[in-house]
Amino acid sequence: MTWQTEMTLILRGLINDVNPADYTYSDSRLQQSILISGQLVQTELVFDKTYEVNVIASSIIPDPTDVTKDNAFINLVCLKSAALIYGGELKLIS
């Protein structure tokens, strides 16, 4: 499973955007948020692995969801993405 599939599903669960019939956010928009969050989280914490997050190329190397999953990275990046999304939504209603 690639990071795009697993982390997008986790993020959808965190922001309660789980009904495919009426998604609020596209997969590509959520993946962009994950990439941005991945870059931010790496400046705040040190992980066992070093990830190359490339927002332009839409890549995270190595894939944190591969056989030796990095659950700390996956979870923190998804939580950061959810926080950024909720922050943007709050800004829209202010």
Side-chain angles (χ1 to χ4, degrees):
M1 184 176 289
T2 65
W3 70 265
Q4 292 96 332
T5 303
E6 185 170 346
M7 293 176 78
T8 301
L9 287 172
I10 292 168
L11 180 54
R12 281 197 188 284
L14 290 170
I15 62 172
N16 196 27
D17 191 25
V18 295
N19 185 357
D22 63 345
Y23 280 159
T24 301
Y25 297 98
S26 68
D27 284 351
S28 62
R29 176 62 188 102
L30 294 181
Q31 290 161 9
Q32 182 182 43
S33 176
I34 290 166
L35 290 163
I36 292 166
S37 296
Q39 187 163 328
L40 295 172
V41 165
Q42 285 197 109
T43 64
E44 299 168 8
L45 299 167
V46 176
F47 296 93
D48 290 339
K49 294 180 186 174
T50 300
Y51 294 97
E52 180 184 327
V53 178
N54 188 323
V55 178
I56 302 299
S58 296
S59 66
I60 302 174
I61 300 170
D63 187 333
T65 64
D66 273 348
V67 177
T68 55
K69 288 176 67 168
D70 190 343
N71 286 316
F73 181 83
I74 293 166
N75 294 339
L76 289 169
V77 167
C78 289
L79 286 167
K80 181 76 163 185
S81 294
L84 291 174
I85 289 167
Y86 280 138
E89 288 180 357
L90 183 61
K91 187 176 178 180
L92 288 175
I93 62 172
S94 296

